[in-house]
Each structure stands twice: as C-alpha cells, then as structure tokens.
Amino acid sequence: MIAGMIARRKPWVRGVLPGFGLTMGTTLLFISLVVLLPLAALLSQAASPGWAEFWRIISSERAVATYKLTLSSALIASIFNLFLGLLLAWILTRYEFWGRGLLDAMVDLPFALPTAVAGLSLTYLLGPNGWFGQWLQALGITVVYTQLGIISAMIFTSTPFVVRAVQPVLEDMDTAAEEAAASLGASPWQIFSGIILPLLVPALLAGFALAFARSLGEFGAIIFIAGNLPYHTEITALLIMIRLEEYHYAAAAAIASVVLAAALVMLFVINLLQGWAYRQR
Amino acid sequence: MSGDALLSIELSDVGKHFGRFQVLDHIHLRFPAGRLSALLGPSGSGKTTLLRLIAGLESPDQGVIRFAGEDVSHLHVSRRQVGFVFQHYALFKHMTVFDNVAYGLKIKPWRERPSKPVIRKRVMALLELVQLAWAAKHLPAQLSGGQRQRIALARALAVEPRVLLLDEPFGALDAQVRAQLRAWLKQLHREIAVTTLFVTHDQEEALEISDHIVIMNQGRIEQSGSPQQVYDQPANPFVCTFLGQAHQISAHLRQGVIYCGDQVVGTAAPGLSHEGAVRVYIRPHDIEVLPPDDTRSALTATLEQIAMIGPYVRLALRLHATQALIPADMTQARFAALHIAADNTVQLVIRKPHVFV
Ligand SMILES: Nc1ncnc2c1ncn2[C@@H]1O[C@H](COP(=O)(O)OP(=O)(O)OP(=O)(O)O)[C@@H](O)[C@H]1O
Ligand SMILES: [Mg+2]
C-alpha cells in the first residue's frame, strides 16, 4: 500500500533494487552489437544491388523451391514435435521410473551434439543399409535424400525446445484440479483435454515457435541426409551457402533476409497467439 | 437437493500405508446419514488420507468402504458420486465461475446430460445458493479466498453428490471469514441435508457446527460421537486435552473418592472401581474458586498470577497438595466478587474432574 503510494508519487522509483539505467543500458548495447548490427549489415548487403535485382534473386524458381521445401518441412517437423515433446515432458513429469534422470538428460542431447554429427548418424541410421533404414526400405519408404530425411533431421534437432517449454508448466501444475474434475465424473481424456491441455497452450505455442525457428535455420544436420538436389531436396540455408561459395554475397544476403523475415513473422504471430492464450485464463 | 437419497458411510477395518508408514490403522467408523460430521485431529493424523479414501482418490490396502451398505471400495472416483472440496479450492482457473460450476454437468455423456437451458438454470440456482450469482462471468483469480471456496462448493454440489467431503475447507482463510463461512455451511447443510464430512484441525469449528465428531490421532480413531459426548465424556486423555484445554494432576482413587495428596478433589464417575494412582484432567472453567474462609472444599491452592484475557480472568493456581500449577477461568464479575489478590490462599471446587487410570 504505502510502497504503492510512494511509487506513484515518485515515478522514478521502480523497485527495491537500484540500477535500472545501468542494466538496461548494458542490455541494449549488447543486443545492438550481437543481434541488430549483424542484421543491419545483412540487410544493407542484400539491398546493395537494388530492388529489381533483389526481387529477381529471391523470387527465382530455385529459391522459391527451397522456401517451399524448408517451410513445409519445418512446419511438419514442428507439429510432430508438438506431440513428441508433450509426450516426453508428460512422461518425465508424471511418472517415476528407472532411468528417468538419464532420459531427462538425454533430451538435451540434440543441443549438445554438433549438428554435423547428428546429421551423419541420422544418415547412417536411416540409410538403405542402416538399422532403421533397412526396415523402412522393406516397407517401401525411403528417408535419406528425400524430404522425409530433412524432416527427420529437423525433428531431431528441435525436440528439446518443446520439452523444455512444457516441462516446467507440467511440474508446477496443481493435481488437485484434476482430482476435482475426476470426482465430478470426468474421464481421463476429458481431464486431459479440458483441464490440463488449456493450461499448456501458451507453453506449447512457445515451444512450437522455437522449434519452428530452429528448423528454418538448421543446416548441419540436414545437408548430410537431404541429398541437396536443386528444386527437390535443397533447403534455403544450403542455397545461401552455395551462393556464398560462388562469392555472390548479395544473393546470399537477399535469400537470408527472406529466412529472417519468415522467422520474425513466425515469432510475432506466436507472440500474439500466446498473449491471446494468456488472456483466456 | 436430493433429500431422499441420504446415505451413511461405513468403514470396516480400513488400513492404508505409504511406503512403510502406516497412515491409517484398522479403522472402523460409521458416519450417520444426512449429518454434518467433523473429522478432527492433529496434523499428520491421517484425516486427509481418510477423506481421500472415502472419495476414491486413494485406494485402501485393506478393509471395505460402504455407502448405504453398498461396497464402493473398488469404485473409481469418477463413479462414486462424491463432491470433494479441497483446501486450496482447486478451481479450474481457465474457466469462468459459471463454467466451473457447470463442468460436472457439461461432461456427462449426452444421454444423461441436461439441456443447455437446464444446465444454465441449475448453475445459476447454485450460484444463488452460495450468494455469488453476480460473479458468474468472473474468473476465479478475480475472487477472494472465501468466494472461491464457495464456488468450489457450488461446483461439487452441481452433480448432486451422494456425499459431500470437505478437506479443511476454511483452512486457508482468516479468522473472520472462517467464522462467517462456518455458520453459512451449517445453514447450507440444513437446506440440502446431504451426508457431509469435513476435515478440520480447529476444534472450535468442529464443536460449533457438526452433529457428529470423529477424533483421530496417529492413524487411529480415538473417539467418535456427538460433540456433547466427546466433550463431556472424553474416552481418553488424548481426547480430553485435544478438545479444549485440560490440565493433568496426579491423584489417587480410594473407594470412589479422588484424592490429591490428602485433600479431596471430588468423586469419580460411578462406573470406575479402580483403586490407586489415577490421572485427573481438569478444564480451566470447571474450577470454581472460593474465598479462603469458605469451608465447602478441602482442596486448597495459592493464587500466583492473575491475567485479564478479554472478557474473562485467568488465574494461575499452585495446588498445596502436589505443588502443581493449574489455570482456572472465570468472568470479570465473578473475580471482582471474590475479593482476592495474588499470594492469597483459596479453596477450589472441581466441577467435573475427568479421571483416567
Ligand atoms: N502420498 C503420500 N505419500 C507418502 N506419505 C504420505 C502421503 N500422503 C500422506 N502421507 C503421510 O501420511 C500421514 C498422514 O497424512 P494426512 O495428509 O492424511 O494427514 P492430515 O491429518 O490430513 O494432516 P494435516 O492436518 O496436516 O492436513 C502424514 O504423516 C503424511 O506424511
Ligand atoms: Mg490434511
């Protein structure tokens, strides 16, 4: 009460700890150096040949094919991870079993593993002679050098985002509400869909957004398994790399700016959705 | 609500342990139909566990739980038709107050589900009953603790439960709101008359509103009966000291007369034929203090301290026979009429000594 009144009379008192100016200044400086400056460089590089050329580069048939492939693969992988991540988080928080700690630690493996290593091992596992690949091959499913391979690599590298976003929310969840629902006659499915899931929506959206953004930018893990055939299995990140190797910096920057825009739009939309989901509570 | 479907709850030989810890030990109990029963006991005595067993939120290791004679021990919680109210409300925080109360009706299989207007009518009637109709569109977070608990109660009542179970329903509220809700619950119970059990560790609450009290300690039932019974005829020293204040003095029994040292305290209940050492428990307001010149009593004490506690006076008395210090309570007026001061010698009459062997 009293603190509130003082704060209202002296608007510069923001909390018990001083130092807002210093901390905010440092943060802004750091963000500028690490995030904004490189982005500005990228955009100026992309814009250097002029608008017409920029447009020609980013709307070329080969580039558009990579967008479609990358976007659709990332979308499928992220949706898949929404379920897989929720399942993993659920198991890790709701059950006591032998090796839970180990499983919990392994969820972070895709973060720790160099993506090239991940790509190589996936290619080996899913390849026509690999442990899983031979069985899939027998079923007529080819993973390596197809979009399926790209999706697999994206799934592998972005699972932890959903798990780690959902897990703390599940851990903090009060089970009494579920018990109350059960005593009112709710079935397990009704409890999950009506009581638990609505509270997880913001976390799921956050996990989805991060997984999607990561999948858009994934490079190392994918190029080993994708086949990299122009118009078919070539992702945008690879096209950027190719343009760089051709010393065609402006083209690389132009295409990169499209990826950047897509990621920003995605984050923005997810933020809106999250805000909406929070307001629903 | 369903006044015709009153049922009793019976537990026979119910046991429950968590790990190696025996939480409930051979419980035999019967809660009378249509009554408001209180489950009272110190922290950790197994009250919540017992309530959860009855609700089906926990399953017993042994024994049988019956609702009106029907064995429900293996009936799933969602089938037991119990209303459960949690200490911390456990409301669905993403739903409005209306949707919270309507939940139990909306999730019924379509064959049994009332139509939308019927649900609406019933929910509004319940909100009316708990005096919160104005809050129908609010979210739980916008309500006070007492209001939330009333919503939780309305939600539990919406499905017309066969029994109502409340686990320290007012435990998280401040004293004033508690007292209000307590009276209100009593009133509500009179209106709906559904068999109700509530857990509390506030003995005053239990004595004030319940028709029946069960006192638990360390996973066992110490006594069960009407409030009057358990207060006036405590079955053992635990019940005696747990319900209200009581102070122990050591004494002995000879031919039905209680002696403290060589002074007479009073006579024991007729049934008690013990001879020798006994423990006598005395409640502060059961001690009548007489001026020193009075000769009605043989029990003497020195008045050591006088404390004014609101409307009454508490005296600390040192018994001459054993040097034990016991408290006595009386009204201000009574104290003034006595004309006594600290260090005076007084005579005591013990109105109702509780004697345990
Ligand atoms: N799920 C559980 N796992 C292990 N031990 C438990 C569990 N639930 C309760 N216990 C133990 O059982 C004992 C009785 O617990 P219970 O919650 O029934 O007590 P209570 O009488 O409700 O106490 P309080 O008044 O503090 O709520 C406690 O010692 C508690 O530690
Ligand atoms: Mg409890």
Side-chain angles (χ1 to χ4, degrees):
Chain A
M1 270 300 282
I2 294 167
M5 276 153 53
I6 293 173
R8 227 169 297 139
R9 254 185 291 130
K10 299 181 190 170
W12 63 87
V13 178
R14 281 166 206 274
V16 276
L17 293 180
F20 172 76
L22 187 67
T23 49
M24 190 67 190
T26 315
T27 309
L28 283 181
L29 179 72
F30 195 74
I31 285 186
S32 309
L33 284 176
V34 171
V35 182
L36 297 180
L37 211 60
L39 286 184
L42 173 77
L43 290 181
S44 81
Q45 178 75 263
S48 59
W51 275 112
E53 178 65 6
F54 177 79
W55 181 251
R56 199 190 57 74
I57 292 169
I58 65 166
S59 63
S60 74
E61 206 184 325
R62 183 169 170 187
V64 170
T66 69
Y67 305 151
K68 280 186 188 162
L69 179 72
T70 311
L71 277 176
S72 62
S73 303
L75 199 65
I76 294 169
S78 305
I79 290 172
F80 183 90
N81 268 339
L82 215 47
F83 291 95
L84 180 67
L86 177 58
L87 188 73
L88 266 168
W90 182 266
I91 287 172
L92 287 175
T93 48
R94 288 298 170 115
Y95 301 104
E96 279 288 345
F97 54 90
W98 189 88
R100 189 176 71 163
L102 188 69
L103 185 65
D104 199 7
M106 280 192 4
V107 166
D108 287 330
L109 200 62
F111 281 163
L113 215 58
T115 50
V117 177
L120 274 175
S121 25
L122 277 177
T123 310
Y124 174 71
L125 274 180
L126 299 169
N129 302 317
W131 288 351
F132 301 145
Q134 54 184 324
W135 302 109
L136 292 171
Q137 201 73 44
L139 294 170
I141 303 169
T142 315
V143 177
V144 170
Y145 307 145
T146 68
Q147 187 177 6
L148 225 47
I150 299 173
I151 295 172
S152 311
M154 285 177 171
I155 288 172
F156 179 79
T157 50
S158 64
T159 307
F161 288 106
V162 180
V163 180
R164 294 301 182 221
V166 173
Q167 201 176 0
V169 183
L170 269 177
E171 263 162 12
D172 283 350
M173 203 173 272
D174 181 15
T175 51
E178 293 159 40
E179 292 180 337
S183 74
L184 292 168
S187 67
W189 170 250
Q190 283 173 324
I191 294 174
F192 180 76
S193 62
I195 307 297
I196 299 173
L197 208 52
L199 300 179
L200 290 181
V201 166
L204 281 170
L205 283 174
F208 178 85
L210 290 169
F212 187 79
R214 168 74 193 254
S215 296
L216 283 186
E218 185 50 48
F219 177 70
I222 295 175
I223 50 166
F224 292 96
I225 203 171
N228 308 326
L229 198 64
Y231 300 100
H232 291 289
T233 52
E234 184 180 57
I235 56 164
T236 310
L238 181 67
L239 185 60
I240 297 171
M241 187 71 191
I242 290 171
R243 290 292 177 258
L244 274 180
E245 281 173 350
E246 295 165 357
Y247 302 107
H248 203 338
Y249 296 124
I255 298 170
S257 64
V258 174
V259 178
L260 177 67
L264 284 180
V265 167
M266 183 70 199
L267 287 179
F268 182 68
V269 169
I270 294 285
N271 256 315
L272 284 184
L273 282 176
Q274 259 185 322
W276 168 82
Y278 271 117
R279 253 176 285 118
Q280 292 299 298
R281 303 222 226 164
Chain B
M1 215 146 284
S2 45
D4 50 326
L6 296 184
L7 53 77
S8 61
I9 304 168
E10 289 142 59
L11 290 89
S12 37
D13 202 28
V14 168
K16 176 76 187 172
H17 60 82
F18 288 115
R20 252 183 293 157
F21 183 59
Q22 193 77 29
V23 181
L24 293 176
D25 197 10
H26 299 289
I27 302 283
H28 291 271
L29 260 183
R30 184 170 184 286
F31 295 97
R35 295 300 172 80
L36 183 58
S37 302
L39 213 51
L40 189 62
S43 190
S45 56
K47 307 179 295 290
T48 298
T49 308
L50 187 65
L51 208 66
R52 291 172 62 85
L53 280 174
I54 294 171
L57 291 169
E58 219 74 75
S59 55
D61 301 331
Q62 63 167 78
V64 180
I65 299 168
R66 290 192 186 85
F67 287 179
E70 178 203 348
D71 183 351
V72 295
S73 314
H74 301 288
L75 205 59
H76 190 258
V77 50
S78 60
R79 292 301 176 77
R80 246 182 236 199
Q81 292 179 281
V82 295
F84 202 101
V85 174
F86 296 81
Q87 181 173 0
H88 297 286
Y89 330 125
L91 291 176
F92 309 135
K93 54 188 175 188
H94 60 292
M95 295 182 196
T96 62
V97 163
F98 182 94
D99 289 336
N100 264 280
V101 178
Y103 184 80
L105 299 170
K106 283 186 180 167
I107 57 163
K108 280 182 190 288
W110 66 270
R111 238 186 283 266
E112 303 163 29
R113 185 166 48 216
S115 67
K116 262 204 171 144
V118 173
I119 291 183
R120 184 160 185 88
K121 229 174 107 196
R122 181 145 4 130
V123 171
M124 287 319 289
L126 277 164
L127 287 178
E128 218 57 81
L129 185 69
V130 299
Q131 298 155 5
L132 282 168
W134 54 270
K137 293 207 174 73
H138 289 51
L139 286 176
Q142 297 166 308
L143 299 178
S144 74
Q147 291 165 339
R148 285 184 217 183
Q149 198 55 295
R150 269 145 59 197
I151 298 300
L153 200 54
R155 179 180 68 180
L157 291 173
V159 290
E160 305 198 335
R162 299 196 288 173
V163 298
L164 190 57
L165 307 170
L166 307 108
D167 189 1
E168 300 201 36
F170 313 134
L173 306 171
D174 69 52
Q176 215 171 350
V177 181
R178 256 178 110 96
Q180 274 173 14
L181 282 187
R182 205 190 273 176
W184 175 83
L185 177 66
K186 177 87 183 160
Q187 180 62 33
L188 181 82
H189 180 258
R190 251 188 231 124
E191 282 167 38
I192 60 173
V194 60
T195 308
T196 303
L197 257 67
F198 77 100
V199 167
T200 176
H201 51 223
D202 179 342
Q203 34 118 347
E204 202 184 311
E205 188 165 287
L207 288 171
E208 185 183 326
I209 65 169
S210 62
D211 307 315
H212 184 85
I213 291 186
V214 173
I215 295 173
M216 293 185 68
N217 185 32
Q218 296 184 342
R220 272 189 286 271
I221 307 299
E222 297 284 357
Q223 193 174 2
S224 128
S226 73
Q228 196 68 34
Q229 255 172 6
V230 291
Y231 190 76
D232 286 343
Q233 297 148 32
N236 52 45
F238 176 82
V239 175
C240 189
T241 48
F242 190 73
L243 272 186
Q245 267 192 326
H247 290 265
Q248 190 205 327
I249 59 172
S250 33
H252 54 272
L253 206 57
R254 218 179 301 138
Q255 291 168 339
V257 179
I258 310 162
Y259 291 92
C260 182
D262 51 6
Q263 299 186 332
V264 176
V265 177
T267 49
L272 204 62
S273 58
H274 181 79
E275 294 282 313
V278 287
R279 286 170 292 167
V280 175
Y281 287 81
I282 301 171
R283 300 197 192 279
H285 56 256
D286 281 338
I287 300 175
E288 192 176 346
V289 179
L290 305 172
D293 50 344
D294 203 298
T295 51
R296 268 182 291 165
S297 169
L299 191 61
T300 55
T302 303
L303 174 54
E304 290 208 342
Q305 264 175 38
I306 303 164
M308 306 285 169
I309 306 174
Y312 63 93
V313 181
R314 167 157 295 186
L315 308 180
L317 303 164
R318 177 82 61 191
L319 293 181
H320 290 160
T322 59
Q323 296 303 310
L325 195 64
I326 58 170
D329 290 349
M330 66 187 64
T331 61
Q332 302 258 16
R334 171 79 191 130
F335 177 68
L338 277 174
H339 298 293
I340 50 175
D343 294 332
N344 285 173
T345 294
V346 291
Q347 307 259 336
L348 309 177
V349 173
I350 310 299
R351 286 192 209 100
K352 203 187 293 164
H354 298 286
V355 184
F356 299 103
V357 176

